[in-house]
């Protein structure tokens, strides 16, 4: 049984005041979420303020990135212990924007995954193919390579603490989401790989989120797929109403799962 998870990735948006208002809107719209776990990933600068707003409530805090070292001469970087101190429970790792815009390699992403786990937080490891890779029939090869590299060297138990996000790059911020069956097939493939890399039991526990133009009107259809355990939401998470609506659609799946239907 996997509790569905909905994660807001605010990216580089919002002053602290704006982040407070957005987090308060989500908190007030989801006072007692049932059947879904919700995480907000504000920019680093707003983590402290958002933590205060969410204090003791059911919504968790996450970060959008982390360095792999705990401390040192890495100007401009933020480390896993710094994020844990601010109350983060999740960290996005290997988002396609980090891979493309900042040249993050699979090896660096693997180091980040390990460092986040070692600090007691859960990495949300993002994988996904570009439009070109998809056109060349390389979707499965690409996500498999990213998954194997991202989780390299991890014991089965450690893999069990991770969350995966399948985010086709061509679907991010484009308004063009993957067809549910198409995404569901990739999720099933990733779960199969998790069985191989860890165990079948671990693979059944790990949540695999879909990300890429998730909106209130497509969230239910996407997460109705058996292997899609929730959503990683970018643009639509900048509206409290939109994000709350998505979380509520996904919660439907969760209530069904929790009832054992
Ligand atoms: C993302 O950036 O992780 C994302 C899924 O963005 P969007 O929802 O805007 O496509």
């Amino acid at each position: 049984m996997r509790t569905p998870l909905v994660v807001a990735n605010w990216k580089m948006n919002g002053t602290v005041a704006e982040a407070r208002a957005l987090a308060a809107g989500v908190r007030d719209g989801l006072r007692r979420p049932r059947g879904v776990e919700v995480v907000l990933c504000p920019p680093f600068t707003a983590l402290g303020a958002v933590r205060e707003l969410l204090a003791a409530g059911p919504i968790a805090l996450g970060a959008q990135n982390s360095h792999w070292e705990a401390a040192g001469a890495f100007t401009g970087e933020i480390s896993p212990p710094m994020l844990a101190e601010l109350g983060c429970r999740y960290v996005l790792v290997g988002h396609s924007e980090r891979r493309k815009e900042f040249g993050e390699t699979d090896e660096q992403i693997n180091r980040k995954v390990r460092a986040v786990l070692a600090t007691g937080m859960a990495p949300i490891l993002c994988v996904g193919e570009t439009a070109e890779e998809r056109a060349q029939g390389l979707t499965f090869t690409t996500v498999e390579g990213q998954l194997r590299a991202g989780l390299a060297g991890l014991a089965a138990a450690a893999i069990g603490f991770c969350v995966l996000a399948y985010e086709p790059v061509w679907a991010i911020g484009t308004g063009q989401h993957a067809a549910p069956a198409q995404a569901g097939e990739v999720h099933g493939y990733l779960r199969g790989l998790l069985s191989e890399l860890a165990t079948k039991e671990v693979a059944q526990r790990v949540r695999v989120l879909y990300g890429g133009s998730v909106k209130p009107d497509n969230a239910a259809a996407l997460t109705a797929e058996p292997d899609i355990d929730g959503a990683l939401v970018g643009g639509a998470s900048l509206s409290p109403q939109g994000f709350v609506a998505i979380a509520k659609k996904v919660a439907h799946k969760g209530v069904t799962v929790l009832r054992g239907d």
Side-chain angles (χ1 to χ4, degrees):
M1 189 180 74
R2 301 182 293 271
T3 303
L5 177 62
V6 178
V7 181
N9 174 15
W10 294 352
K11 312 195 188 196
M12 194 177 70
N13 290 296
T15 60
V16 171
E18 287 163 346
R20 272 204 189 96
L22 182 48
V26 174
R27 179 199 61 192
D28 295 345
L30 292 170
R31 287 248 170 236
R32 271 187 217 90
R34 236 192 110 230
V36 66
E37 189 183 345
V38 178
V39 180
L40 302 185
C41 300
F44 290 139
T45 48
L47 282 169
V50 172
R51 178 196 200 178
E52 272 174 34
L53 260 153
L54 300 179
I59 299 177
L61 191 64
Q64 298 174 20
N65 182 34
S66 173
H67 198 268
W68 55 83
E69 294 290 346
F74 300 100
T75 302
E77 290 291 322
I78 303 285
S79 75
M82 294 171 181
L83 298 173
E85 185 193 30
L86 284 171
C88 290
R89 290 184 27 217
Y90 292 89
V91 183
L92 299 178
V93 179
H95 189 282
S96 62
E97 288 154 14
R98 302 283 328 162
R99 293 179 191 260
K100 177 166 180 278
E101 306 293 339
F102 302 96
E104 278 190 13
T105 64
D106 280 328
E107 198 249 330
Q108 290 172 328
I109 289 164
N110 177 247
R111 292 172 84 171
K112 290 182 180 207
V113 166
R114 290 154 173 269
V116 167
L117 283 166
T119 315
M121 300 178 290
I124 301 176
L125 172 63
C126 303
V127 301
E129 82 285 5
T130 61
E132 295 71 35
E133 287 162 339
R134 183 168 200 86
Q136 290 167 37
L138 294 174
T139 297
F140 294 94
T141 312
T142 302
V143 297
E144 175 168 352
Q146 292 172 339
L147 184 75
R148 286 187 185 278
L151 300 181
L154 293 187
I159 292 177
F161 284 108
C162 297
V163 175
L164 298 186
Y166 168 55
E167 297 208 302
V169 180
W170 48 269
I172 295 182
T174 60
Q176 188 196 345
H177 65 89
Q182 211 174 50
E185 196 186 354
V186 179
H187 282 237
Y189 186 72
L190 291 171
R191 203 175 301 286
L193 287 170
L194 285 172
S195 288
E196 190 194 304
L197 294 171
T199 64
K200 197 156 180 255
E201 292 66 37
V202 166
Q204 285 307 315
R205 274 208 319 270
V206 171
R207 288 172 295 183
V208 186
L209 313 182
Y210 167 80
S213 296
V214 175
K215 307 275 185 256
D217 64 359
N218 59 30
L222 282 159
T223 52
E225 288 293 318
D227 279 310
I228 301 186
D229 304 313
L232 176 50
V233 187
S237 72
L238 295 173
S239 144
Q241 295 81 7
F243 184 69
V244 166
I246 290 170
K248 287 186 172 168
K249 302 262 182 195
V250 177
H252 262 289
K253 171 173 186 148
V255 170
T256 317
V257 170
L258 291 172
R259 273 204 315 249
D261 292 1

